[in-house]
Amino acid sequence: MNARPITADITLMGAVDWDRRLFDALIPLPEGTTYNAYLVRGSEKTALLDTVDPAALDVLMRQLDAVDHLDYLVAHHAEQDHSGSIPAVLARYPEAILVTSPKGKELLQELLDIPYQRFRTVADGETLSLGNKTLRFIYLPWVHWPETMGTYIEEDHVLFSCDFLGSHRAQSGLFAERDVVMHGAKRYYAEIMMPFRSFVIKNLDKLAGTQIDMVCPSHGPVYKDPTFIMDAYREWAGGPPHNKVVIPFVSMHGSTLKMVDHLTAALADRGVSVERFDLTTSDLGDVAMSLVDAATIVIGTPAVLTGPHPKTIEIAYLAGALRPKTRFVSIVGSFGWGQRIVDVLGGLIAPLKAELLTPVLAKGDPRAADMQAIDALAETIAAKHREAGLR
Ligand code: FEO
């Protein structure tokens, strides 16, 4: 893609990565992604905000052919997909000063060996004049790294929010359409921001007194009316969970599947919505997104050797790491002789600090008594959700 003007003085640089299908060798990217850098031309000075993943350096360098002088390169975040091309840009513009937070400087020096002479560190709230434009730097810690900051143009009311409020979505158009972007934005929130829910809310609160007419994130399209995405983040991070159970499961010989089917029907009969994922075919991002507003997680697993199926270990670990606002957890499944399912999965989901509801484990094919226990579990879940007033 070529550089694309957003306003008379702000240009979207960077790359649209239509074909990338995995981020961090972990996160599926069904819609690709973008690495957004932004060029801001003031009446006296020019600043480039962030760079791109080194894999897309050639795209940025070609776009920079139109920029013969750069006063400032602002680094909002030291992760490679934005910072990895900083050394090349600094080499191209020996006059450019690298502007970042003190923590950003520390990380960039450690990660990229950038000489200290190139840096200018800025405090939270500090401003930098480009002439007719004033950049105000706003620390946005832990969304999602400790050094993350944003830049706000005071005259234009534009916020460059770095990873915060972004989406992994490749598109040719500049701007986000609410109905198109929300699915990917929620998925992105789940995968990247959810572990830092309290900081999401703190940073939204911090921005609340600032007039923001446009949000330019580091991934995905630009928000011309950012209210909806900021409201969505507040709801995802701080709103109550829904009257919903997520069931990630694996079944080897059909016993666990019978229990999951029974539980699904029993919950539906009690007015509890269910989203279930067969982990042998599911996309991890879909599971993560489902966890954003689920009140309860029930993992379904057969025993493999002495413990749970490895695919359920992965999802239990992920749930514990992503820290959704889950209130209740349980486990259903089938075993032959190994009985460490609850020990292993219970330990992995412990970081959720959710109440463990009595697991139901059948020896072999589930019998009537096992299904009665499943019914009791469904009844307990429905009652807990009712008592909590969940909808
Ligand atoms: Fe898009 Fe945290 O890097």
Side-chain angles (χ1 to χ4, degrees), residues 268-345:
D269 288 346
R270 289 162 176 80
V272 180
S273 72
V274 176
E275 291 180 10
R276 39 188 275 178
F277 299 90
D278 179 340
L279 297 175
T280 61
T281 54
S282 293
D283 173 306
L284 275 183
D286 287 340
V287 182
M289 188 166 65
S290 182
L291 296 178
V292 169
D293 42 26
T296 298
I297 304 171
V298 179
I299 299 175
T301 183
V304 173
L305 301 175
T306 60
H309 192 286
K311 286 191 175 293
T312 65
I313 290 176
E314 180 184 33
I315 211 68
Y317 175 80
L318 200 64
L322 292 178
R323 308 275 185 104
K325 48 196 173 190
T326 314
R327 297 198 183 168
F328 312 102
V329 292
S330 192
I331 299 160
V332 300
S334 162
F335 67 98
W337 46 267
Q339 300 201 34
R340 294 191 58 243
I341 286 175
V342 174
D343 284 353
V344 173
L345 292 181

Side-chain angles (χ1 to χ4, degrees), residues 201-236:
I201 293 168
K202 280 179 193 161
N203 284 310
L204 288 172
D205 288 346
K206 183 174 184 176
L207 294 169
T210 302
Q211 181 183 339
I212 300 172
D213 295 339
M214 187 184 293
V215 166
C216 299
S218 293
H219 297 287
V222 170
Y223 298 93
K224 238 194 296 198
D225 173 11
T227 308
F228 78 85
I229 189 66
M230 297 176 86
D231 287 350
Y233 261 59
R234 192 172 283 282
E235 168 62 24
W236 295 334

Side-chain angles (χ1 to χ4, degrees), residues 134 151 199:
T134 309
T151 295
F199 288 96

